[in-house]
Amino acid sequence: MDDTIPNDLMPGSSFERMLVVGTTDLKSANYVTFNSTLADSKVQTGVKASATMTGFFPVVNYKNFTLIEGTIKYGVDIISAVTYCQELGFENEDIIVDVIMATYKTLQEVDASNFSTIQSLFRYLSITSYLSVMDQVTNSKHYYPDVTLNVVTPSEDISTFLTNISPYDFS
């Protein structure tokens, strides 16, 4: 995964946005954030840890943390992004947050009548992830009416790849 984290997200590159990513420490269950004011290697560690889909990618050991994706605590962490900008001196009307969702823009209906246990679990995770993200976006619009939220979603539903897994894929 290290090779897939682009250097253009790092400070000093042509990427003109500030970056905040969240992870969860498996040891303490605490939420750990990384932002673009940190050294390049620390930001890359945060991006890598925030992308470790539990069960698909290994944990990231960093200092005394054992890190995995932050979505366990927050589907999207808009509060940390807004707070980070406010700490840098920005007024709410000058803050733009790009919310990048790993779920499709709407929750799709599926025929789950013949789902295996694993497929049902993945469908459950898709539903709870989607609802968590949408709740946080809706609440953030209420709490931060002057902040611009741009919600970016995949162009097609990517959750179906999880529900199309057969038990043989795990043997």
Side-chain angles (χ1 to χ4, degrees), residues 6 14 25 33 35 41 43 57 62 64 82 95 102 109-110 121 140 154 166 169:
S14 61
D25 178 30
T33 59
N35 64 53
S41 61
V43 175
F57 296 107
Y62 172 72
N64 291 325
V82 171
I95 298 174
E109 186 172 324
V110 300
L121 171 65
S140 294
S166 83
D169 294 330

Side-chain angles (χ1 to χ4, degrees), residues 23-153:
T23 65
T24 304
D25 178 30
L26 280 177
K27 294 176 184 176
S28 65
N30 288 330
Y31 191 70
V32 181
T33 59
F34 294 79
N35 64 53
S36 55
T37 60
L38 300 171
D40 293 1
S41 61
K42 291 179 184 175
V43 175
Q44 286 177 317
T45 298
V47 170
K48 181 178 176 182
S50 74
T52 57
M53 234 174 109
T54 306
F56 292 96
F57 296 107
V59 299
V60 173
N61 291 304
Y62 172 72
K63 295 187 177 181
N64 291 325
F65 301 115
T66 300
L67 300 172
I68 57 171
E69 59 191 317
T71 57
I72 291 173
K73 302 273 290 191
Y74 304 107
V76 289
D77 184 12
I78 297 168
I79 294 170
S80 289
V82 171
T83 302
Y84 175 53
C85 292
Q86 290 169 336
E87 288 171 353
L88 292 173
F90 290 95
E91 298 295 324
N92 282 358
E93 57 271 6
D94 298 322
I95 298 174
I96 301 170
V97 177
D98 295 329
V99 178
I100 303 173
M101 293 178 53
T103 59
Y104 194 51
K105 58 186 164 193
T106 58
L107 194 57
Q108 303 295 303
E109 186 172 324
V110 300
D111 178 8
S113 57
N114 293 315
F115 272 11
S116 68
T117 305
I118 295 289
Q119 290 169 315
S120 296
L121 171 65
F122 286 139
R123 177 63 176 166
Y124 164 82
L125 294 172
S126 293
I127 293 169
T128 55
S129 173
Y130 175 82
L131 294 175
S132 172
V133 168
M134 295 314 295
D135 282 348
Q136 289 172 40
V137 168
T138 301
N139 290 340
S140 294
K141 288 179 180 179
H142 172 74
Y143 294 124
Y144 304 111
D146 296 331
V147 170
T148 300
L149 292 178
N150 296 324
V151 180
V152 180
T153 62

